[in-house]
Amino acid sequence: MTIKATGLGKGIKKMEHISEIQVASSEERGHLTLIWSSQTFDMEMDEGDAMKLLMLVRQQYAILTLGWPSHLTVTVKPADRMLPVPEINVGPDGGFMGRLGGALNLFHAEPHTEFLEYLAQCFTTGDHTINLNLVTGLTLAEFMGIIRSMHCDTWFTRLTCSNTPVPADRAVAALAAMLATNRSLATLE
């Protein structure tokens, strides 16, 4: 396999998470292009490996976003090489736990056992409120991961986070980004 990287500015920025990929394309057999952070990575590899990698990116991205909003452009040519539509098993939680795991990974955080138990209770009882004030010892990384997982969430309709130990400027920025894409949240406290 050969990889050619081109980027803007100094050096090549390391991709921290799959959600940073903006374009994944294979317009020639055995060729794959990934773009993130204004950098392009062109890869020459076995045709089967190129298609497997492209499908993996698409599948993992679909889990994180439930397929919307689509910030990822996937292109495959010629037409005889079309990828199947990724299957997304959202489960009784609307896919929240899968997105939470991916978002926490992005911020290098692990969820509190207490928080996971709280979420299990929400899903079991049908409670559509997520109250972060009930989570003791919440770190900035955990908060950012939880809010990131809510970008495309359809389960929770109410979020309470007014007394979390997160710096206000970081909380406001994260919440604003989440509210720009979340269409289900009706109440924010």
Side-chain angles (χ1 to χ4, degrees):
M1 170 175 35
T2 58
I3 299 176
K4 177 184 173 189
T6 58
L8 300 176
K10 295 180 181 178
I12 296 173
K13 180 184 179 284
K14 176 183 164 193
M15 180 175 56
E16 295 289 335
H17 198 265
I18 197 166
S19 64
E20 294 180 23
I21 297 174
Q22 299 153 332
V23 174
S25 67
S26 179
E27 297 189 10
E28 299 173 15
R29 294 184 189 283
H31 183 246
L32 180 66
T33 300
L34 298 177
I35 299 174
W36 70 84
S37 302
S38 302
Q39 296 181 111
T40 302
F41 282 78
D42 290 308
M43 296 172 260
E44 300 292 334
M45 62 183 70
D46 176 71
E47 169 66 11
D49 291 342
M51 294 305 283
K52 285 177 191 173
L53 184 56
L54 191 57
M55 188 60 199
L56 176 66
V57 167
R58 189 174 177 196
Q59 178 69 32
Q60 293 304 307
Y61 201 90
I63 290 169
L64 291 175
T65 65
L66 285 183
W68 65 274
S70 181
H71 300 299
L72 175 68
T73 302
V74 177
T75 306
V76 179
K77 293 180 182 176
D80 68 331
R81 301 172 59 225
M82 297 313 292
L83 293 173
V85 175
E87 290 185 29
I88 306 168
N89 181 3
V90 295
D93 62 2
F96 184 80
M97 294 304 289
R99 284 188 310 281
L100 178 63
L104 288 172
N105 180 274
L106 173 64
F107 293 99
H108 309 288
E110 293 288 329
H112 281 66
T113 301
E114 172 189 344
F115 181 62
L116 294 176
E117 291 169 357
Y118 169 74
L119 288 176
Q121 182 180 8
C122 287
F123 301 134
T124 302
T125 62
D127 185 358
H128 293 270
T129 298
I130 187 168
N131 188 342
L132 296 182
N133 294 338
L134 300 176
V135 182
T136 57
L138 185 70
T139 67
L140 174 62
E142 289 171 310
F143 177 84
M144 298 299 282
I146 292 165
I147 299 305
R148 178 70 176 254
S149 67
M150 294 186 71
H151 276 238
C152 304
D153 181 55
T154 58
W155 177 269
F156 292 106
T157 58
R158 182 180 192 139
L159 171 64
T160 303
C161 60
S162 56
N163 294 321
T164 59
V166 175
D169 61 331
R170 299 291 301 270
V172 169
L175 290 167
M178 181 266 296
L179 290 171
T181 59
N182 184 300
R183 301 292 180 244
S184 300
L185 197 65
T187 306
L188 175 62
E189 300 174 319

